[in-house]
Amino acid sequence: MTEVALLDSVVTFLSKPLGSFIDGAAVVDGQAGAIDIINPATEQVIARVQQASASQVDAAVAAASRAFQGSWAQTSPYLRGVLLNKLADAIEAHGEELAQLEALNSGKAINVARGLEVAQSVIFLRYFAGWTTKINGESITPSLPSMAGEHYTAFTRREPVGVVAGIVPWNFPLLIAVWKLGSALATGCTIVLKPSEFSPLSLLRLVELAKEVGLPNGAINVVTGAGQVGQQLTEHAAVRKVSFTGSVPTGIAVGAAAMKSKLTRVTLELGGKNPAALLADVNIDEIIPGLLMTAFTHQGQICASPERIYVHRSRIDELSEKLGAALASLKIGSPLDESVQFGPLANKAHYDKIVGYFARMGEGNQVVTGGKTVGGKGYFVQPTLLRTTTPDDLFLTEETFGPIVCLMPFDTDEELLELLNDTPYGLGASLWTNDLSKALRMIPRIESGTVWVNMHTFLDPAVPFGGSKSSGIGREFGSAFIEAFTELKSVMIRY
Ligand code: NAD
């Protein structure tokens, strides 16, 4: 095993006092106790992060409010774009440092941390930077008749909603934070981010870079801690919008609290039980690398990853054999080893959840490969492939958010559509086929925020992303994010 050498900057960052970042400064006074940050590959404490106290959450929102009315409001759209691009440049320049922090903190294989988390953060931020100068209302000709020769004209303005609370899960702590801060700052909002208590490190480094490149104090703040910090933000009187990414139960609680508090706007990006459907004509050899990547990158801990794969009955044995063999050959090991393809689960709580699922295997399904822990130190489990013939199998219905994929055969297209839609979730789905005509006819009948064809879990900043049904409310990316982070003001003029 050869691990990449940790950069001096990473070692220095981990050894310094860490905590919230409010109004341009780190807050490490320890009012509310500290959280141990664990490396999931070794189970060792790699850093300690001070939790935000209630008064520090108030201070972060107050700083964001001041910046919203002051420095950020006075920063022209052009300069906002320049600053976001500078931040993207800084992420790129510090890419290895951020990737190493991610590998250490969330167990992401270093190549995935570099090529996906960090590289995509740069791409998305530059995309948002491009929008700052293109956010406009429209000019409208009112429809009412003139009574006494008077005229009317009207226009709309897209105005930033104000202070945004951005609540981030543990799986992509840098990238998902960038989606939220990029959307907020591009539209003229300011933001208070709350990373997961398990994986706050890369975001805490990012905000230091934001200060270095000249983002005004208070434009981006971070409050650290567990769920109660997120709840305080959600219910805060000065927060005008909550952008939440996480599980369905927490999302429902956040949505309800935001509504009850004062009809605070919400975007909820939640979990899924995403299906992939392999039609009869599919070339199994060609698609195995794509399926492997989409279902098992970052140990399957990606919201849109497919966990249930419906395969035409004529092809399921071939898929099961070949996918099983490919999974069994994945190299499992340290996220800092560049040859490793499969690291540990991201934290102990999630490891315990997946081990719990392993204990329930075999009640009606067949284990093709995996299904066990790896042993030794770290939260390592085997990538796992199951088969079932029961549509309500546990592994076709509950989101595991881990490296467990279940195969199920189907015979007809009508049966397939029923299986795809038989879930409360609706985040992502994919069809794998060369029959594009059939795919185009099926797409309108699939209840899902995104449908991919011959691909899955590809997120592009230009393409809106979000959940239907219980997988969420609202869309991120594309031009759709603008609606979520702005109010539409109508102006009517009589002359
Ligand atoms: P989670 O819901 O447990 O936590 C998400 C965040 O919410 C964390 O920062 C947590 O501290 C905070 N939180 C917890 N209770 C809260 C409360 N009452 N009020 C406000 N904030 C609170 O989710 P997780 O375990 O961190 O992440 C995994 C889940 O996230 C999976 O279900 C996955 O599908 C989903 N996810 C969705 C997307 C998407 O874009 N749709 C992306 C990534 C992850």
Side-chain angles (χ1 to χ4, degrees), residues 166-172 176 179-180 194-198 225-234 242 244-251 253-254 257 268-272 274 301-304 307 347 350 353 399 401 425 427 459 465-467 471-472 476-477:
I167 302 177
V168 178
W170 47 255
N171 65 331
F172 280 88
I176 294 177
W179 294 347
K180 296 186 186 312
K194 209 250 358 128
S196 165
E197 53 275 36
F198 295 110
Q228 81 279 1
V229 175
Q231 189 172 342
Q232 191 191 338
L233 277 180
T234 302
V242 179
F244 172 86
T245 302
S247 63
V248 171
T250 311
V254 167
L268 301 173
E269 291 284 350
L270 309 181
N274 311 291
Q301 303 164 126
I302 300 184
C303 56
E307 292 194 3
N347 56 67
H350 194 51
K353 178 177 153 188
E399 182 192 38
F401 203 53
Y425 299 109
L427 187 59
L459 300 188
F465 177 70
S471 287
E476 298 186 295
F477 321 154

